[in-house]
Amino acid sequence: MTQTAAATSNVTPLKTPASAAATVVSLPTPAARPVFGPRARTRLTELASAIVPPLLTIAALLMLWELLCSSPTSSLPAPSRVVSDTWELIANPFYDNGGNDKGLGWQLYASLKRVALGYALAVVAGVALGALVGGSVWAMRGLDPVFQVLRTIPPLAWLPLSLAAFRDGEPSAIFVIFITAIWPIIINTAVGIRNIPQDYKNVAQVLRLNPLQYFIKIMLPAAAPYIFTGLRIGIGLSWLAIVAAEMLIGGVGIGFFIWDAWNSSRISDIIVALVYVGAVGFILDRIVALIAVAVTRGTANA
């Protein structure tokens, strides 16, 4: 017990330095995260590169137009005057005072209804006839020369004949849309059917697909990029044709609105209507293009 106590008394306790006790360890401040990640920044850059150049081009054209037409003796109104003259028409596109006195919204709606019906009929008939011409040598020899001749006839040349046949402006305009849009659909569908790889046809023979199954599972998917190319051309031609046809048949429609504004010397109204026509045509083309990309899984160009 005496030795243990002596050994214990000889142990010198460790002392912590005062400076160590007072040291405060500071943790590193975490770096601030960027608001947009690399993928988001890439998308914003792509969006800006797609939007900014057209906006700059439009702004430059408007400035040039303003400079050229700002003179009081100018035959065309400047953009500032167009806006001031047609502000009520722009601000209230869906007014309805009865008869043909309707806003641009209703005029476009009437034209789009005619285009939708005529174009839908052209799609059904065009794809069917294109598949027939592309898949049958005898049909191609018999029908292709006829199609090549008929497609060169201007759309408005069919209007008097359709008026004589239907005796009404509404079905006549729809027929003009149909006869205008069907030719590019037929031709592009036939080209797509002819370009189906032989391997696809061999697979159909091995699986013993009937004609309907071959049309749905082989022909349509393989020829889809060509078909949608014809559909895009057809929708553009349809919109062009309806504006021209409505100038002649009258009634409610954007074409008749433009012609009536010309007869009333409302040049500013015509310019605003043309802006609407161009915007709607662009939207229709984009809709068909996006559907094509979705259906063909990116093989068709947008």
Side-chain angles (χ1 to χ4, degrees):
M1 293 293 296
T2 305
Q3 295 177 354
T4 304
T8 304
S9 61
N10 291 332
V11 175
T12 303
L14 297 176
K15 295 182 179 180
T16 303
S19 58
T23 302
V24 178
V25 179
S26 60
L27 297 177
T29 303
R33 294 184 178 180
V35 179
F36 299 105
R39 184 176 300 177
R41 287 198 299 270
T42 302
R43 290 182 178 179
L44 287 175
T45 302
E46 294 176 352
L47 184 63
S49 63
I51 294 178
V52 172
L55 290 179
L56 293 177
T57 303
I58 293 173
L61 292 176
L62 289 176
M63 292 177 60
L64 180 62
W65 179 11
E66 184 74 28
L67 292 174
L68 294 177
C69 299
S70 58
S71 173
T73 60
S74 176
S75 57
L76 293 177
S80 57
R81 182 183 167 188
V82 170
V83 174
S84 61
D85 290 345
T86 61
W87 178 248
E88 294 184 1
L89 192 66
I90 298 172
N92 187 16
F94 289 99
Y95 74 84
D96 188 353
N97 295 330
N100 296 334
D101 188 8
K102 301 179 185 293
L104 282 175
W106 295 118
Q107 306 286 352
L108 290 170
Y109 176 70
S111 298
L112 286 172
K113 284 197 305 181
R114 299 185 181 107
V115 169
L117 184 54
Y119 181 71
L121 295 174
V123 170
V124 175
V127 172
L129 289 173
L132 176 63
V133 172
S136 172
V137 176
W138 285 101
M140 180 183 66
R141 292 175 179 174
L143 295 176
D144 187 67
V146 178
F147 294 159
Q148 296 297 334
V149 171
L150 293 179
R151 74 183 184 88
T152 61
I153 299 176
L156 290 183
W158 293 98
L159 188 58
L161 186 62
S162 62
L163 286 172
F166 298 109
R167 300 181 182 276
D168 188 12
E170 189 74 15
S172 299
I174 295 172
F175 175 78
V176 170
I177 296 301
F178 169 81
I179 205 68
T180 302
I182 193 172
W183 308 123
I185 299 175
I186 291 175
I187 293 171
N188 283 274
T189 301
V191 172
I193 297 299
R194 293 194 200 108
N195 288 331
I196 294 177
Q198 185 61 40
D199 293 341
Y200 290 9
K201 300 177 182 179
N202 296 336
V203 170
Q205 292 178 356
V206 171
L207 297 177
R208 296 181 180 179
L209 300 179
N210 59 45
L212 180 60
Q213 292 174 331
Y214 177 71
F215 177 75
I216 296 175
K217 296 182 178 181
I218 302 295
M219 294 178 69
L220 285 182
Y226 294 90
I227 294 173
F228 276 100
T229 299
L231 295 181
R232 290 184 65 179
I233 298 173
I235 192 65
L237 294 177
S238 298
W239 189 238
L240 292 174
I242 191 60
V243 174
E246 286 175 345
M247 290 183 179
L248 300 178
I249 65 173
V252 179
I254 192 64
F256 179 73
F257 176 87
I258 293 173
W259 187 249
D260 183 62
W262 164 252
N263 291 329
S264 303
S265 299
R266 302 193 309 269
I267 305 301
S268 296
D269 289 8
I270 296 175
I271 294 174
V272 172
L274 292 179
V275 172
Y276 276 80
V277 169
V280 171
F282 176 77
I283 293 172
L284 292 176
D285 178 78
R286 289 292 88 195
I287 290 174
V288 177
L290 292 176
I291 295 174
V293 172
V295 172
T296 62
R297 298 180 181 180
T299 57
N301 294 327

